[in-house]
Amino acid sequence: MSSRLTLDFMEGALFGVFEEGPVQNKSKSTPSRTSLSTSSETLISSNWSSFTLFSSREEAKRSRPQVAMTSAITSCEPSQALQREDDVLNGHTEGPNRKKGRQSRSPSSNNLVYSILEVPPWYLCILMGIQHFLTALGGLVSVPLILAKDLCLQHDPLTQSYLISTIFFVSGFCTLLQVFFGVRLPILQGGTFAFVAPSLAMLSLPTWKCPPWTLNASLVNTSSPEFTEEWQKRIRELQGAIMVASCVQMLVGFSGLIGFLMRFIGPLTIAPTISLVALPLFDSAGNNAGIHWGIAAMTIFLIVLFSQYLKNVAVPMPIYRGQKKCRVSKFYLFQVFPVLLALCISWLLCFVLTVTNTLPTAPTAYGHLARTDTKGDVLSRAPWFRFPYPGQWGLPTISLAGVFGIIAGVISSMVESVGDYYACARLVGAPPPPRHAVNRGIGIEGLGCLLAGAWGTGNGTTSYSENVGALGITRVGSRTVMVAAGCVLLLMGIFGKIGAAFATIPTPVIGGMFLVMFGVITAVGISNLQYVDMNSSRNLFIFGFSIYCGLAIPNWVNQNSEKLQTGILQLDQVIQVLLTTGMFVGGFLGFLLDNTIPGSLEERGLLVWNQIQEESEETARALEVYCLPCGIGSTSCTSSCAQRLPFWPTGEAGKAMTRAQVPVPIG
């Protein structure tokens, strides 16, 4: 039951599904949920650790025809067969109007609207790119808002808007890098919660705790040089730690070490690591929601209502065509935008309660921060256009403690991303990514973290699991669509008013969203345990002990930091940051115990991982999908020196592709 609830939340609350109703000539049929559940199960099964193969019985279930995106169309004029573009908008399955000359597809891609190498019309690319932006919006906005308090920015929404715009811009740039030069799958890059825990642990050190006057809104002058220096020196410290730690990720990726490391990382390491990304944040979510529990509860209620109870309710939407034609298409609005709709409605209610002075006006009264006028001047002060640039907060600084803490987040991020690669490949009908593509993807993600640090987002970048899930549910796996999504993110980062608008969301509304989002992230981590034998006392011990220590040890260290003094300041800081990062404590214990306590590969859940690694062979189809652009590595730059690079396409695959392209004479 808990697994099904997790899947439903992943479908509705985070992924953002675009789905249409039944086709007109099949209007008597009811929409099927088969595609939604199987897509989400595929994502969850391969997320974080890429344990994506199923038993023959489960695979047979997943090979059934999927009808999640069929469309219900009524026309203001006589009914006619839909054109190819209409098929995409309304989710038609493949039909006779498919363009000729397309590549043959793998069995897993038979029900795709667009496969990875196909190019939809430009206007559909833009629309679907915007949808990917909206799918990732919650995570992208959440990271700067979580860090704001520890950066001493809780009373400076204008700077918060700058951070939001910066993370939009960098995420778009990193997405384009990943699609063109990385793993080359349609995966969106964005801020990662894996860096939040070590960042908060570093900022909780006595050196970086915010002065008491920055916590009092009446004492904060956001334009004063003193206040500016207070928050900028903290974000510069984060920048330096992220940039150095990202070099470790680039080394692991471009050197091919990631393949070696994944031999020892299983579900019993991944489950506590990912779950402890969100579990320690209960304090932040509770405090934000506690500003006004009524507003927070309404936000939660609306998210649950839209994502769970109304997700199958189709809203008729008019579509106007040329030559005075109009059609009405059913659109699953609540399933696509449950979080966005809930935030907007709660936001509007807070505005009404503010205008009518229902919410208290006294700054010290309970519920005052639920008013919309506490941040009302942000939109007027924010520029229309603001171009983020490297070093905009000053020259980054480096501390040993921060670097080691962020490295723990980098390891978690790499594990997550490898799982996303295999999940994405399966969902878009591509062959499993070969080693050189995985190595290149992790290396480019490291480069993305380096750029995020240089630009000053206060965070790194990683592959977004929410958007991987959206790929499977919408059945649009085109790489071109993700290029459009990257361009949309770039534009959103340049428009300063966009980031300012999100920075004005009332605090209890954010708290309600956090309670839902962090709960789902925790459940995703735990869902990895479906691949191990949980009837085994060995596995029960490892997971339970890892999770509990990941909560207990950081709590004790935070309260008794003076008892860990070694006399060496730098060493004390490293120990405190690592031991107050629950994700590191739980993940390390899970890794250590899982690899030292005897257990079979099947019992540990590693058998599936080994099988899928063996299937990642260099074929002509794999090279076509994963090769570098402009024929680099296949038709050019094929020297023996380049072939030895772990992230370079191999020469054998290039020969295979060449043979596949040679026409076979007849007769």
Side-chain angles (χ1 to χ4, degrees):
M1 180 64 70
S2 61
S3 298
R4 176 57 54 196
L5 290 175
T6 301
L7 294 177
D8 289 340
F9 262 109
M10 297 295 284
E11 292 169 6
L14 289 183
F15 288 162
V17 187
F18 180 77
E19 181 185 37
E20 300 283 344
V23 182
Q24 184 181 6
N25 57 8
K26 298 179 183 180
S27 59
K28 294 182 180 180
S29 63
T30 57
S32 171
R33 298 293 300 163
T34 304
S35 177
L36 296 179
S37 61
T38 54
S39 298
S40 294
E41 287 176 28
T42 303
L43 168 74
I44 297 226
S45 65
S46 48
N47 193 13
W48 316 113
S49 58
S50 62
F51 302 106
T52 56
L53 292 185
F54 300 90
S55 66
S56 56
R57 180 180 178 183
E58 292 172 322
E59 193 63 41
K61 291 165 61 179
R62 282 159 177 78
S63 64
R64 296 171 184 169
Q66 300 179 357
V67 292
M69 288 185 60
T70 56
S71 60
I73 308 268
T74 58
S75 179
C76 301
E77 296 192 1
S79 175
Q80 297 178 359
L82 295 177
Q83 299 297 320
R84 177 70 189 92
E85 292 78 11
D86 295 338
D87 292 347
V88 181
L89 274 175
N90 301 303
H92 267 197
T93 55
E94 293 184 302
N97 292 328
R98 298 292 297 184
K99 294 180 181 179
K100 296 180 180 180
R102 286 179 175 163
Q103 298 292 334
S104 60
R105 298 180 172 195
S106 61
S108 62
S109 65
N110 286 337
N111 293 306
L112 287 173
V113 178
Y114 283 108
S115 67
I116 184 170
L117 298 178
E118 294 174 347
V119 181
W122 63 270
Y123 53 88
L124 291 181
C125 287
I126 294 175
L127 289 175
M128 289 183 274
I130 293 174
Q131 177 172 287
H132 274 290
F133 164 72
L134 294 173
T135 301
L137 185 61
L140 290 171
V141 173
S142 297
V143 172
L145 295 179
I146 294 172
L147 294 175
K149 180 179 180 181
D150 290 85
L151 290 172
C152 312
L153 289 173
Q154 59 179 338
H155 300 302
D156 187 5
L158 181 62
T159 303
Q160 292 179 28
S161 74
Y162 292 163
L163 290 177
I164 292 172
S165 296
T166 301
I167 202 169
F168 282 170
F169 183 85
V170 174
S171 297
F173 189 59
C174 293
T175 297
L176 295 178
L177 280 178
Q178 188 66 262
V179 173
F180 282 113
F181 302 105
V183 72
R184 305 223 65 201
L185 288 168
I187 295 182
L188 187 136
Q189 304 291 292
T192 170
F193 284 99
F195 285 16
V196 171
S199 297
L200 295 179
M202 188 189 78
L203 294 173
S204 68
L205 294 173
T207 308
W208 300 112
K209 283 187 177 180
C210 294
W213 63 269
T214 63
L215 306 178
N216 190 335
S218 61
L219 299 178
V220 173
N221 180 8
T222 58
S223 59
S224 67
E226 182 183 8
F227 175 76
T228 301
E229 178 60 22
E230 280 295 334
W231 69 262
Q232 283 191 355
K233 67 182 181 182
R234 285 165 174 76
I235 200 167
R236 289 196 298 264
E237 187 74 8
L238 274 181
Q239 285 182 254
I242 291 169
M243 293 175 72
V244 174
S246 66
C247 294
V248 175
Q249 185 170 3
M250 286 192 291
L251 175 65
V252 171
F254 290 131
S255 66
L257 283 175
I258 184 65
F260 174 77
L261 294 176
M262 290 305 296
R263 299 177 186 175
F264 306 99
I265 298 176
L268 288 171
T269 302
I270 295 163
T273 301
I274 303 305
S275 297
L276 288 168
V277 167
L279 280 176
L281 296 175
F282 74 91
D283 189 46
S284 174
N287 288 338
N288 286 334
I291 296 296
H292 195 295
W293 275 109
I295 300 295
M298 188 190 68
T299 305
I300 296 171
F301 169 76
L302 290 174
I303 293 177
V304 174
L305 176 68
F306 295 152
S307 65
Q308 304 303 309
Y309 294 100
L310 300 180
K311 60 185 176 182
N312 293 323
V313 177
V315 180
M317 302 288 289
I319 298 178
Y320 295 95
R321 304 287 184 181
Q323 301 176 355
K324 298 181 180 180
K325 293 181 179 180
C326 67
R327 292 176 179 175
V328 177
S329 175
K330 289 186 177 180
F331 179 63
Y332 285 75
L333 181 68
F334 302 116
Q335 196 175 58
V336 176
F337 306 123
V339 176
L340 189 62
L341 288 173
L343 290 181
C344 290
I345 294 174
S346 299
W347 200 350
L348 180 61
L349 178 64
C350 289
F351 174 75
V352 173
L353 296 178
T354 300
V355 172
T356 58
N357 281 328
T358 305
L359 293 171
T361 57
T364 57
Y366 176 79
H368 172 73
L369 292 179
R371 296 178 63 93
T372 56
D373 57 2
T374 59
K375 306 175 182 179
D377 61 338
V378 177
L379 277 175
S380 60
R381 292 168 55 194
W384 278 103
F385 298 98
R386 181 181 180 275
F387 195 86
Y389 58 91
Q392 57 186 330
W393 318 127
L395 189 65
T397 58
I398 299 174
S399 68
L400 195 62
V403 170
F404 274 92
I406 298 297
I407 286 176
V410 163
I411 295 172
S412 174
S413 176
M414 287 191 293
V415 173
E416 170 192 359
S417 295
V418 172
D420 287 337
Y421 296 163
Y422 285 91
C424 182
R426 182 181 179 88
L427 294 176
V428 302
R435 289 186 178 88
H436 69 79
V438 173
N439 295 338
R440 201 167 59 241
I442 294 299
I444 291 295
E445 283 198 18
L447 177 60
C449 289
L450 181 66
L451 296 176
W455 256 264
T457 63
N459 198 253
T461 60
T462 190
S463 299
Y464 254 38
S465 305
E466 296 95 327
N467 292 76
V468 174
L471 289 172
I473 296 168
T474 62
R475 296 186 296 142
V476 177
S478 173
R479 195 156 52 195
T480 309
V481 170
M482 198 55 64
V483 172
C487 294
V488 170
L489 280 167
L490 283 173
L491 291 176
M492 293 298 104
I494 294 174
F495 286 101
K497 296 289 186 184
I498 301 294
F502 289 113
T504 61
I505 301 174
T507 304
V509 176
I510 297 171
M513 180 185 69
F514 282 173
L515 286 173
V516 176
M517 182 175 295
F518 295 160
V520 174
I521 293 174
T522 302
V524 170
I526 296 175
S527 70
N528 285 281
L529 296 176
Q530 62 185 298
Y531 305 105
V532 304
D533 182 8
M534 291 310 292
N535 291 319
S536 166
S537 59
R538 169 195 184 273
N539 295 341
L540 289 173
F541 165 74
I542 293 174
F543 177 71
F545 182 71
S546 301
I547 281 282
Y548 205 77
C549 287
L551 295 171
I553 292 177
N555 181 66
W556 183 87
V557 174
N558 278 323
Q559 297 177 2
N560 302 275
S561 58
E562 71 282 353
K563 297 182 180 180
L564 295 176
Q565 302 297 328
T566 63
I568 304 174
L569 180 61
Q570 291 78 9
L571 181 59
D572 293 343
Q573 291 178 343
V574 170
I575 293 174
Q576 184 170 350
V577 168
L578 292 180
L579 293 184
T580 54
T581 304
M583 176 184 65
F584 169 78
V585 175
F588 175 76
L589 289 174
F591 173 82
L592 180 66
L593 296 174
D594 189 33
N595 285 281
T596 55
I597 299 178
S600 66
L601 292 178
E602 183 177 4
E603 183 182 16
R604 298 171 60 192
L606 292 176
L607 184 61
V608 171
W609 170 251
N610 293 335
Q611 290 175 346
I612 196 169
Q613 285 281 17
E614 292 172 0
E615 292 186 1
S616 301
E617 299 177 353
E618 290 286 0
T619 62
R621 172 67 175 169
L623 183 66
E624 185 181 18
V625 174
Y626 299 108
C627 69
L628 291 168
C630 303
I632 299 174
S634 57
T635 59
S636 62
C637 301
T638 57
S639 64
S640 58
C641 294
Q643 298 295 330
R644 293 190 180 96
L645 296 175
F647 56 88
W648 207 260
T650 64
E652 293 301 322
K655 295 176 183 177
M657 184 176 181
T658 302
R659 289 193 298 268
Q661 293 175 343
V662 175
V664 179
I666 300 176

